[in-house]
Amino acid sequence: MMRRIAFAAAVLACWTMLLLWAARIDWTAPFLPAEQRDFQGHEFSAVFGTAAADADRLKVEAAGFDFTSLQSLRLFGLEAGRFPTLRYRFAGFPRTLELSLVFRTAEHPEDVAISLPWPGDATRTFDLSRIPEWRGHIIEIGFAEFPTAQIVPPEQGFKPFEIVEAGLWSRSWRGDLEALATDWFGAWPWTQRSVHALGRDTDTPRARSLVLCVALAAGIVLVWMLVLFGWRSRRMLIGAAAVFGLAWLVLDLAWQAGLWGRLQTTRAVYVPLSWAERQRTVADTEIAAAAAKLDAMLRGEPESSHILVYTDAYRGYELLRFIWHLLPRNAAVYAYAQFVGDALPEGCLIVFYDSDAWRTEPYWRRLLAHSEHLSAATSILGSTFEDDIVTVFRFHHGR
Amino acid sequence: MGVEPTYIAAWLLPVLIGGGIWAALRGPLREPGDIAATIGAGWLIGVFAAAACARAVASADTARTFALTWPWCVGIGAIAWGVAFLRSRGTSLRPLLAIRASSGAGRWLWWLALLLIVTRMLLIGDEASLRPVFPWDAWSAWSTKPKAWFLSGHAEPYVSMIEWLANPQLAVRTAAAWNYPELLAWVQLWFASAAGGWNEPLVDVAWCGALVAFALAAYGYWRALGLAPWLVMLLVYGLISLPLVDAHVALAGYADLWVAITLGFAVLAWTRWLAFRDPAQLALAVAVALALPAIKLEGTVWLAVFLAAVAFDLVPRWRWRFALVLGAIAVAGVLAVTSRSIHVGWNRIEIPSLGTFELAWHGVGGAMLESLFTLPNWHLLWYAVPVLLVLRRARLRTDRAARLLGLTLLIDFAFLFVLFFFTTASAWAQDFTSANRLILQLVPSVFVLAAVLLRPISAIETSRADRDKQPASPAPTVPA
């Protein structure tokens, strides 16, 4: 009996140490924060979008023109190093929005944005001490919300919500432990990197690994079993298997909760839709619309006509999505054909997607000197002629 | 919100074809696991067979892929089931349907694992069936061809940019992934044409189907190996629960999951050959493995290693010198044929379509350790595998199946080690992109090895006795 009590005490003590290590507890810090700055929701004001104070809260009623909303608060030089723990609480925050913390310092007045876990309705805590930019004197702090990138069609992302309160705490055990809980069990959205490496699919610095901590916790149990009960092969093996199974289950339940959260985002957009509507509902609506516009422009053109698409170099994702939406048109990326110089096939189509390089860059003006400029009938007479999202040339060599 | 009846048929027909082929090869179904294996293995075999048929008959009219292909599928399925029926005449199905006694705890574990598996599949299947294709390479590489082919109505060849530019009048297409294998494209066409339109949510659910099929096949094969039902269900749950596996179903569209389950299924069938010397399973293993290069380019590497392991098992020891000479001639022949395209220097290898690999040490150990042991991709898998290997090290000496399977995986992982630590592919590990996906391709095979190592001694002895007595006989009945 005594050995069992000793076993339980030893395991609990070790697990506590492990938890404190995982939370990066500062041993010199108090359990509760010595200093804290609390901000009621109504103290924030809308920068993008519209919002109104509702009792102590700020009710955010509409997003800005680009589907983003931002609410901020001036702080007059709060020392960042003294307040490394962020607390935030929202109400009715939609699944379809992502949340970022935005701040500026007196030393670096440009905005810094950090993605935060989805807030839900509970109070969340975030450790800012691992953000390199959280230094100096904070002169403004705010929250930005935008439709989940590449997942939610921008126009469907926003629904009204409320900022209940926010706060900045000095270092404390409670703050560190709650920040760890938010990190481990918070809801993060799918990203393009999720199929490569989960846990690396956000740029936000993360807490110590839950997987490592659970593995260490299981290892601690096994070591104490060995020390206190000795090596009794069969019982030890069964015990080890049970500990391993429980550890796996803990990790899997945490993962399942994350999966559930991600699924709710997807369901919020797609569940009401028919199969055909689901296929048409994409997050990059502007790119799809541009592709549809080009397709309409080329309706007299054989589907097999070769099309080379160009856009500015830093926009590879948009370019590839544009070509994807353009299918079954026979389009390819111009950059891959650039090596042939002006030896392009006579009569092929060159499309500029959201780029005015055809008129601003000498290279293109020389290359297209003898080419035919095709444009949409609806826009050629309009004032936006040179700002069209797509500009089309039929390539001709010099005569 | 319904779907076309043809879409339902597109899901069932693979079971008809592949299930028939599997049952015909298996002979009389005797084990409870055989039903699961017939459905799971059958679906995988069937969907590849349907895609191959589609490639043969529907290239000129891709929008009608299903309509043109299904009669062939029904024909093949009918023949296969006919053979299966003839082979199993007079065999009672009673043992198949019997519910075996199991201990109370075992039964609870079995149901708990099943509940967790079903919950997980519903979650990730729901996610896959809701949205259009999402991950980058899914739409920029793996779905480009089937979408273009379906919407244009013709399977026009994809060529390099140079050829495309040189032939403006020809109906050819180009893309960055122009040289990627096309089996998955035809799988997608099969489902899209059955759905009556290019509908990515309906196409992408096939990824979920593939995982379920592998889970069923694994359950059946591992039961036949003599593992207790609860242990088998826990192993299946272990595989299904892995976050990166789930991510590849929920965000369907990458080919890695298909490579993983195809290699895993080939290894499953090979294991059955190793344990029971059932030649039909060996033929099935090789046939399925041959599909690997048709799914993804690196499938060629896994195929080569797998075939080498199969040959290693088949060639008797006294013929080893002869086999080595033959192997050397084969390697020399391959080098002679490819010497114009593959350039090997002392510190670089240049392989067309794969790239140039500079050979030098790259310190990516930290990133790899993080990928395997701390990021939430694999739960505790990579902690458990070394422990299991140590605990069951004796099996690696005494059990030929475990030894050969272990050797095969060792070579596979050695390949990945060289790739990540000695070539410029180390960038894939450093930036946490392809490294995990390449590891994913081997994970189902790792679970097969775990199942072989966890086999009770009695099952190994039973299979040995059975093998010695009657080399080509089907699996023995193993106590639950």
Side-chain angles (χ1 to χ4, degrees), chain A residues 209 252 256 266-267 279, chain B residues 120 126-127 200 237 370 374:
Chain A
S209 158
D252 198 41
Q256 180 139 310
T266 311
R267 289 183 68 84
Q279 170 62 26
Chain B
R120 181 59 47 83
D126 193 17
E127 180 91 41
E200 288 147 29
Y237 161 68
E370 196 177 344
T374 69

Side-chain angles (χ1 to χ4, degrees), chain A residues 150 192 195-196 198 200 209 248 252 255-256 263 266-267 273-275 278-279 306 324 328 330 345, chain B residues 1 120 126-127 129 131-132 136 139 147 172-173 199-200 237 241 246 248 370 374 377 379 436-437:
Chain A
Q150 299 173 357
Q192 291 290 347
V195 289
H196 303 302
L198 294 152
R200 281 281 180 167
S209 158
W248 189 292
D252 198 41
W255 163 239
Q256 180 139 310
L263 178 62
T266 311
R267 289 183 68 84
L273 307 181
S274 69
W275 290 110
R278 287 178 188 179
Q279 170 62 26
H306 290 200
W324 164 254
N330 196 352
Chain B
M1 190 176 62
R120 181 59 47 83
D126 193 17
E127 180 91 41
S129 69
R131 79 153 74 78
W136 188 304
W139 49 263
K147 183 181 178 186
V172 290
R173 293 172 177 273
N199 192 294
E200 288 147 29
Y237 161 68
S241 70
D246 296 343
H248 274 252
E370 196 177 344
T374 69
N377 295 304
H379 287 342
N436 270 308
R437 290 192 289 112

